[in-house]
Amino acid sequence: MAGTVKIEGGIAVITGAASGIGLGLARYAAKAGMKLVLADIQAAPLDGLAAELNTETLTIVTDVRDPAAVEALADKAWARFGAVDLLFNNAGIMATGFSWQIEPERWKRSMEVNFDGVLNGIRAFVPRLLKAGRPARIVNTASVGGFLPSPLMAPYSVSKAAVVALTESLHLEMRMLGDTIGISLLAPGPVKSGIFDDPFGAYDDPAAAGFVETMRTMLTQNGLEPEDFAARVFRDIEAGRFWIIPQPEALDPLLRRRIDCVFDRTDPELLDFSDL
């Protein structure tokens, strides 16, 4: 197991920090005494978040799809603070609709943000973290959807499943190199956010529109507040866990049923979101 990561007085980098899960992580980390590098593609909410936090904060407008931009993020983090203890590769978007109707540009954007954004973070930060030779942890945000493919959100399911595979591979690579850098896979269940308000979602199809409304209702009624969610995440970080599953009730029963489908060679089931 990698060494204990410094929380109080440590430095955290968070992508997708301006809203949802990223915002909750930033607020919790600030209260825990961390200095922050906050990255998002949206400048105004990013600056607004920084203004409310009672900690030293660096904000950097970053498009995680762009490898050069993420390299610049890493450069600026080290130039300002001289170290990074926690990296949250967290930026993510949603695209809904039937898989064959979703335009190529929305498919491309989903994969670039949700998967390439994580990969770009790994490529930019891992060499620097290895060179630093001190305990650190990378937390990649996937989703319960990375284990439980869903209709009408195939780009999200596909990209998040890829994040799961990449993160497991990265963990094993770090084991080969001696565990200096801890790796965690974060799989959120319902968290209150505006992810289903993404303007790249096409909701003109009645089935897609109904699905989106169901998901929005689920997030409103059953979703955790981002800061409550973040508290659970940091608990698992301090415990050094690879699998960070803050809402096991949203994953475990359905995942067991899915695994049984594979072993029994039965057809995949349509998920019942009331189970979440």
Side-chain angles (χ1 to χ4, degrees):
M1 179 184 293
T4 302
V5 176
K6 185 177 183 181
I7 301 297
E8 185 175 0
I11 298 96
V13 178
I14 305 170
T15 68
S19 63
I21 289 172
L23 183 147
L25 292 170
R27 286 175 172 165
Y28 188 91
K31 290 178 181 177
M34 301 197 79
K35 301 173 184 179
L36 301 178
V37 180
L38 304 178
D40 202 284
I41 200 168
Q42 302 181 76
L46 192 63
D47 291 339
L49 172 61
E52 76 172 59
L53 300 177
N54 187 27
T55 191
E56 186 177 354
T57 302
L58 173 65
T59 61
I60 304 171
V61 175
T62 306
D63 184 346
V64 297
R65 299 176 297 175
D66 180 1
V70 183
E71 287 283 349
L73 173 66
D75 286 339
K76 292 173 183 177
W78 258 272
R80 176 67 171 270
F81 294 113
V84 169
D85 299 288
L86 270 176
L87 168 64
F88 291 95
N89 287 314
N90 172 73
I93 60 171
M94 177 64 67
T96 60
F98 288 104
S99 55
W100 63 92
Q101 293 179 339
I102 296 172
E103 301 91 333
E105 178 56 34
R106 284 200 291 134
W107 265 102
K108 182 172 183 287
R109 185 170 184 262
S110 294
M111 296 303 296
E112 287 179 339
V113 173
N114 295 350
F115 176 74
D116 290 353
V118 173
L119 178 58
N120 290 336
I122 291 168
R123 290 174 59 83
F125 282 83
V126 165
R128 293 168 171 86
L129 293 172
L130 288 172
K131 184 177 180 180
R134 54 181 269 174
R137 182 163 292 271
I138 297 172
V139 182
N140 295 335
T141 300
S143 168
V144 297
F147 299 91
L148 305 170
S150 169
L152 297 171
M153 48 190 281
Y156 188 79
S157 295
V158 170
S159 58
K160 293 300 187 178
V163 171
V164 173
L166 173 61
T167 307
E168 290 190 65
S169 293
L170 180 64
H171 166 73
L172 296 172
E173 290 165 352
M174 289 300 111
R175 291 289 300 271
M176 292 172 65
L177 295 178
D179 272 349
T180 299
I181 305 172
I183 307 298
S184 294
L185 187 285
L186 173 57
V191 178
K192 291 181 180 178
S193 71
I195 192 167
F196 282 95
D197 297 331
D198 191 299
F200 279 74
Y203 310 138
D204 52 343
D205 184 282
F211 173 80
V212 168
E213 189 56 38
T214 297
M215 296 302 291
R216 285 175 176 160
T217 299
M218 180 190 69
L219 292 185
T220 300
Q221 294 179 348
N222 303 329
L224 284 177
E225 293 291 344
E227 286 185 73
D228 294 335
F229 178 84
R232 301 185 185 192
V233 173
F234 271 83
R235 176 197 63 199
D236 285 352
I237 287 171
E238 292 184 283
R241 293 195 174 103
F242 174 83
W243 300 106
I244 300 182
I245 315 290
Q247 300 143 285
E249 70 280 0
L251 176 65
D252 295 354
L254 295 176
L255 181 58
R256 287 191 178 97
R257 280 164 49 186
R258 181 174 184 237
I259 291 171
D260 285 344
C261 283
V262 176
F263 279 122
D264 296 340
R265 306 297 191 266
T266 56
D267 293 346
E269 298 178 358
L270 187 65
L271 295 181
D272 180 0
F273 290 105
S274 65
D275 288 348
L276 303 183

